[in-house]
Amino acid sequence: MDSMEKIVSLCKRRGFIFPSSEIYGGLNGCWDYGPLGVELKRNVKQAWWDDMVAHHDETASPAGAPATFSMVGLDSSLLMNPKVWEASGHVGGFSDPMVDDRETRARYRADQLAVFALEFVATDGTVESYDEVLFAAPGEIGKTDPAELFEPHRKRIASLQKARQGRNARPVGIPDALQNDAVRMKVIAPGATGPGTLTAPRAFNLMFKTHVGALEDNSSVTYLRPETAQGIFVNFKNVCDTARVRVPFGIGQIGKAFRNEINPRNFTFRSREFEQMEIEFFCRANNSAQWYEYWRDRRYRWYIALGIRPGNLHLREHDKDELAHYAAGCADVEYDFPFGRSELEGIANRTDFDLRQHMQMSGKDLRYFDDQETNEDARRYLPHVIEPSAGADRGTLAFLCDAYSEDEVGGEPRTVLKLHPRLAPIKAAVFPLVKKDGMPEKALAIYRSLKKRFNVYYDEKGAIGRRYRRQDEAGTPFCITVDGDTLTADTVTVRERDTCEQTRISVAELGDVLGERLGG
Ligand code: ATP
């Protein structure tokens, strides 16, 4: 099993994540969070809300920033007036180019389908090129393991190799092959019996359409929101008018978003229903570059502070030619998932594009009014926007992947989730060493008192070693065991998950010690 398979299997086995509506065969791109998963994902969202909105730290603000700035929250509706999506550009342009296979009826995102010819290399280094037919497989040339690219065409490639005395085959990428009709006709799609079954790439709108009200006609069409951000922009004026915020300030929102992804894959990484955690930070145009850097770096540090190993996390600044036409800067926070380096979050300087679009479309004046500005011309203006846009599910998956480890304790292998204590679904487990001598009663009393402050778990079944292992797999940072000494000296052992070290602590101090070790 590769490490991703192990993580998926642990998630299923321990109740972190299940396929949606599994008893009916599931629904592609949709996932359910089980008892441990819901706690983990809630903790991720809570940490984001606490650190970015409720208790945000403003001490590292850029030079010249005011001593304090507001971060407020919002919870906007999922269904909105369809004009929102016209103004945002989603109705016209929110689409991925996709290709269909007429034979297998599979659908692929054109930019995620590698097309390659073959080269056969002899032991003396001579190379024979073969491009009579071309092969298509999900992946990227240079990034995806050639064996994986060859997999859908194993038999055909093996027979070509056999005819060449077993020479090594390697893929040679053919860029833009699907755009060119003549080249595309030579391409064999995965699972197809011959070449020429793929259609030319076509735009495919990612928004889920639905109808509001009893009539199912064009006048009732709206969409499930594909991002939470637009809910913030359309409430910009409401927030300015009611919350006494002054530029610079930010609005944060956590909520569901829906995209009819062509190829949901890599577990929860690319889902059709997912949650986003987005901030729109409104500032003046003249210092938007500093605020962009501020948010980019702050968001990167947030993942590290919650335990992601710095070696696995990367900040990738987009090249100028990658930027949307309105954007003044964009960076991705990327994580080294077992399936490759991929985007966790994007941070963009969107200038005043969104507010300007909504001002035009709605006909409402969305300019900010600065009553303390003495220069009459500068009193009303459209602020510029920095948008850190994170995925709660992708974040949760990255925390899971980074925490997953296997080691040996007392000569026995164990699987452990080394989750940051703030994220751990269960903070501590309480065990009686044995089910007699008054130990369960004492352990239950401790459990009940801790439960008032922490999410704790009580378990009296099975050998103590197995109970520890179960909690290690769930990522529980501490196990508290009631033993013979508890009954005489009123102390318990506290076992730390990562080191397995045990210390004795008096029952009276337990709550405070735990609070301190869990980080408040
Ligand atoms: P990608 O290029 O991977 O499709 P994107 O650039 O379209 O992502 P954004 O529109 O910037 O993504 O969305 C912001 C964040 O929302 C992403 O960084 C990601 O964390 C999350 N997100 C977007 N699409 C999905 C999805 N299909 N499944 C899970 N999370 C998603």
Side-chain angles (χ1 to χ4, degrees), residues 221-242:
V221 165
T222 192
Y223 305 90
L224 300 187
R225 67 179 179 200
E227 60 173 38
T228 61
Q230 298 305 323
I232 300 181
F233 291 122
V234 297
N235 277 293
F236 172 71
K237 202 170 159 17
N238 284 337
V239 172
C240 285
D241 291 349
T242 56

Side-chain angles (χ1 to χ4, degrees), residues 4 183 187 228 235 391 453 462 508:
M4 198 61 216
V183 180
V187 177
T228 61
N235 277 293
R453 287 177 65 185

Side-chain angles (χ1 to χ4, degrees), residues 25-40:
L27 182 65
N28 202 1
C30 299
W31 300 93
D32 295 343
Y33 287 77
L36 287 178
V38 68
E39 296 289 345
L40 173 62

Side-chain angles (χ1 to χ4, degrees), residues 259 261 269-271 274 276 343-345 389-391 394:
R259 295 184 190 176
E261 297 280 0
F269 179 84
R270 189 171 299 286
S271 313
F274 55 95
Q276 290 187 311
E343 174 185 331
L344 265 190
E345 166 161 359
S389 172
R394 281 193 193 174

